[in-house]
Amino acid sequence: MRKKNLIVIGTGLVILIIAAGIAYQNYEYAKQAREEVNTLNAVIQQKDIKIAKLNKEIKAKQDELGGVRVELNNANKALNDAKAQTNKVTEQPTIQVPQTVNK
């Protein structure tokens, strides 16, 4: 009977040691995964900062483009006004000069 108890206790200890080893291994994997997650979070934060900077640059370029559009529209209006005035000058009626015949 005593031999059976020792075998049961020994088997139980072996199972307990194996379970502890697996638990420790899983703990190490979880620790490593947490470190990788932290590293990825840092990379994501850096990318977010770059994206924010790019968004600011895009906004500045859009504002600059809006200013250029306004200047272009003003230049186009001035050109159209100049063309209209040129057309007004050329649309004046022609004066007929009486022709004299040399005899």
Side-chain angles (χ1 to χ4, degrees):
M1 184 78 165
R2 190 162 182 165
K3 218 176 195 184
K4 285 184 180 179
N5 282 342
L6 285 177
I7 292 174
V8 170
I9 291 174
T11 307
L13 283 175
V14 168
I15 292 173
L16 184 62
I17 291 171
I18 291 172
I22 292 172
Y24 180 76
Q25 188 177 16
N26 287 340
Y27 168 76
E28 287 297 319
Y29 287 146
K31 198 166 127 181
Q32 183 181 5
R34 184 177 54 213
E35 289 173 4
E36 289 177 10
V37 166
N38 290 338
T39 303
L40 289 174
N41 281 337
V43 169
I44 289 171
Q45 286 176 349
Q46 290 173 350
K47 297 294 182 184
D48 286 344
I49 291 170
K50 286 182 182 179
I51 288 171
K53 287 180 182 178
L54 289 173
N55 281 336
K56 286 181 182 179
E57 286 180 27
I58 288 170
K59 176 110 174 83
K61 294 293 181 183
Q62 286 176 338
D63 292 343
E64 183 180 333
L65 181 61
V68 169
R69 280 187 186 143
V70 168
E71 289 178 21
L72 184 60
N73 285 339
N74 290 340
N76 196 15
K77 285 178 186 177
L79 180 62
N80 288 339
D81 290 343
K83 283 181 182 179
Q85 287 185 1
T86 303
N87 289 338
K88 285 181 184 178
V89 169
T90 58
E91 291 177 0
Q92 293 178 353
T94 57
I95 301 173
Q96 292 182 353
V97 179
Q99 296 179 355
T100 57
V101 178
N102 288 337
K103 294 185 183 180

